[in-house]
Amino acid sequence: MHASRSGYTTNNMNILENVPLSGYSTMRLGGNAAYLSEINQKIEVTEAVAWAKERNLPIIMIGVGSNIVWKDEGFPGLILVNKIMGFEVFSEDEENIYITAGAGENWDSVVERAVATGKSGLEYLSLIPGTVGGAPVQNIGAYGHELAETFVSLEAYDMQTGGLVNIPAIECEFGYRTSRFKTTDRGRFLITSLTLHLIKQIQEPVYYHWLEDYLKTHQITHPSPTDIRRAVIEIRRSRLPDPTLVANVGSFFANPIVSSDKYQELVEQHPRLASWPSRCFWDLPDGSYKVAAGALLEYIGFKDFHDETTGMATWQNQALVLVNEHANSTADLLAFKKIIVDKVKQIFDMTLEQEPELLPIASL
Ligand SMILES: Cc1cc2nc3c(=O)[nH]c(=O)nc-3n(C[C@H](O)[C@H](O)[C@H](O)COP(=O)(O)OP(=O)(O)OC[C@H]3O[C@@H](n4cnc5c(N)ncnc54)[C@H](O)[C@@H]3O)c2cc1C
């Protein structure tokens, strides 16, 4: 290993120094990382961890930063950008198919390949930005489905034991947009691959009106996984900004889960409020409702809302997406967020929770 002007070189890796993190979040804000390196093979994880340990530096592994907002103060440790590739179908019969994908693979290209097998399970999660490794961290979901439904296990480097481990679904503590990787064991596991199980099945009824409308318009009564993928891609393209063109991290707030009483109160005030009962989701408490946070924001005038002071806006077709038009800092973004959260609290007496992670958190 030797030091150079721009960083360090070890056996397999190049470690860059003082790197702007705005290039590693699709919101394009944030300070600098002291060190940053791409990880292309599993062996490099061990090497990177040893390098950081020698210098007593914290580590964060990331994908493409489509769910990260970096703090303005940056990160005084080593960022590992996961680029571990691989896609393998390792067991297939008439009814089932198991696939393993490298954590650095683009999520949607894995969905595309999975759907092409004709088996079901990932089609509703089409076109979600990010990597395979980022997906279990918040148990990605869309249109009433989530990763946990197909997830078998993942392989990760365990920072506590210093070796590779295999973690089955039952130990991942998946919930609505969460898992142990985002809560109790945040930062402990550096994910290297995922194994997923797809099955041959008749599609369940769709619960989302945009999807229902698409299928009706296209006269599709028995949609195949390919039909659902096509519908999801078309709907997402019409409603969400492409993060490679418009700086954003997708839905900025999670859809709130409310009690039946609170739900009744909300629909009395706003009869057309989009919401879903707990029976549509395996992980919601009985009798509760999931309320569309985007609809709440729309009701109070936050759709296509532009704030010149902070340089932030909400997206024209989906109020839940905050867009960085010309913000100078994450402080600007957080000031804009506060305007929205305060107004929702005042009008609906509800507290919106931020979905993308604000990193680094204090304990890292
Ligand atoms: C336009 C848009 C639409 C979106 N739509 C959806 C949606 O419909 N549903 C949804 O759930 N999400 C959505 N998202 C959020 C985002 O796409 C997902 O959360 C995605 O899984 C993040 O992947 P990533 O590789 O970018 O992870 P990053 O943003 O890089 O990282 C997110 C978190 O995961 C950790 N992490 C990432 N990779 C690894 C790894 N290999 N090992 C250990 N930890 C890791 C990071 O440390 C961080 O804590 C959307 C985002 C955008 C920009």
Side-chain angles (χ1 to χ4, degrees):
M1 187 254 299
H2 66 270
S4 72
R5 251 166 39 126
S6 56
Y8 293 79
T9 308
T10 68
N11 285 347
N12 294 293
M13 304 163 50
N14 245 341
I15 299 171
L16 305 174
E17 222 171 338
N18 211 20
V19 181
L21 283 167
S22 51
Y24 295 88
S25 158
T26 55
M27 192 58 104
R28 297 185 202 127
L29 294 171
N32 284 6
Y35 302 98
L36 181 142
S37 182
E38 283 186 5
I39 295 289
N40 294 289
Q41 324 166 46
K42 267 192 258 179
I43 186 169
E44 294 169 13
V45 179
T46 322
E47 215 172 281
V49 172
W51 186 91
K53 271 203 174 138
E54 266 170 35
R55 291 158 181 80
N56 211 13
L57 294 171
I59 287 179
I60 301 179
M61 180 167 270
I62 65 166
V64 297
S66 63
N67 208 30
I68 295 176
V69 174
W70 295 110
K71 291 182 180 170
D72 288 326
E73 58 263 38
F75 181 55
L78 173 63
I79 298 288
L80 297 177
V81 184
N82 195 311
K83 300 260 175 158
I84 300 173
M85 299 300 170
F87 181 89
E88 190 196 350
V89 173
F90 70 88
S91 169
E92 184 173 13
D93 61 28
E94 189 53 29
E95 298 295 321
N96 306 281
I97 184 165
Y98 288 85
I99 58 176
T100 293
E105 287 279 351
N106 173 270
W107 171 256
D108 190 54
S109 87
V110 167
V111 175
E112 187 181 19
R113 282 176 274 178
V115 168
T117 67
K119 302 284 195 299
S120 180
L122 295 184
E123 54 278 12
Y124 288 92
L125 308 186
S126 293
L127 215 63
I128 296 181
T131 58
V132 164
V137 175
Q138 77 151 359
N139 181 24
I140 57 167
Y143 304 105
H145 292 266
E146 57 188 14
L147 177 76
E149 293 164 30
T150 53
F151 183 95
V152 177
S153 63
L154 60 75
E155 183 194 64
Y157 179 91
D158 183 350
M159 300 276 283
Q160 261 176 29
T161 61
L164 284 174
V165 288
N166 209 280
I167 306 179
I170 197 159
E171 291 174 16
C172 290
E173 294 165 27
F174 287 130
Y176 171 56
R177 300 298 173 274
T178 191
S179 73
R180 71 189 281 197
F181 312 109
K182 199 176 171 180
T183 53
T184 43
D185 282 318
R186 174 192 280 276
R188 173 173 165 188
F189 296 104
L190 310 179
I191 300 164
T192 51
S193 69
L194 250 61
T195 295
L196 305 169
H197 176 200
L198 312 179
I199 51 173
K200 183 176 167 184
Q201 68 172 12
I202 310 281
Q203 291 289 342
E204 289 167 18
V206 294
Y207 294 114
Y208 279 73
H209 69 87
W210 304 297
L211 271 176
E212 279 175 357
D213 290 350
Y214 176 98
L215 296 176
K216 262 192 211 140
T217 311
H218 291 77
Q219 298 175 336
I220 300 170
T221 45
H222 300 292
S224 67
T226 306
D227 293 327
I228 296 285
R229 173 167 167 80
R230 238 182 245 134
V232 167
I233 287 176
E234 187 167 308
I235 294 162
R236 290 186 73 98
R237 286 206 172 122
S238 69
R239 295 184 55 79
L240 296 168
D242 176 348
T244 61
L245 305 174
V246 177
N248 80 96
V249 279
S251 301
F252 201 81
F253 301 105
N255 289 326
I257 315 292
V258 298
S259 67
S260 176
D261 288 351
K262 181 70 192 175
Y263 172 74
Q264 296 308 332
E265 188 190 307
L266 284 170
V267 285
E268 268 165 36
Q269 287 167 4
H270 307 287
R272 287 181 301 107
L273 186 67
S275 58
W276 304 272
S278 54
R279 71 181 149 74
C280 299
F281 306 93
W282 63 271
D283 55 350
L284 289 198
D286 276 354
S288 64
Y289 287 79
K290 190 185 281 187
V291 175
L296 294 177
L297 299 190
E298 232 179 274
Y299 266 122
I300 54 178
F302 277 126
K303 190 169 169 185
D304 202 13
F305 172 77
H306 301 254
D307 181 51
E308 278 311 308
T309 311
T310 58
M312 293 294 304
T314 55
W315 185 240
Q316 59 207 23
N317 297 330
Q318 171 53 284
L320 206 47
V321 176
L322 306 198
V323 169
N324 167 14
E325 293 192 311
H326 54 86
N328 291 318
S329 63
T330 299
D332 284 340
L333 161 65
L334 296 179
F336 185 67
K337 168 192 161 182
K338 186 170 180 329
I339 295 171
I340 295 175
V341 170
D342 288 354
K343 192 78 181 172
V344 168
K345 179 76 185 157
Q346 183 199 333
I347 305 280
F348 299 108
D349 192 25
M350 287 165 73
T351 304
L352 288 181
E353 298 295 335
Q354 181 173 323
E355 190 176 290
E357 295 182 83
L358 183 62
L359 293 180
I361 59 157
S363 63
L364 280 171

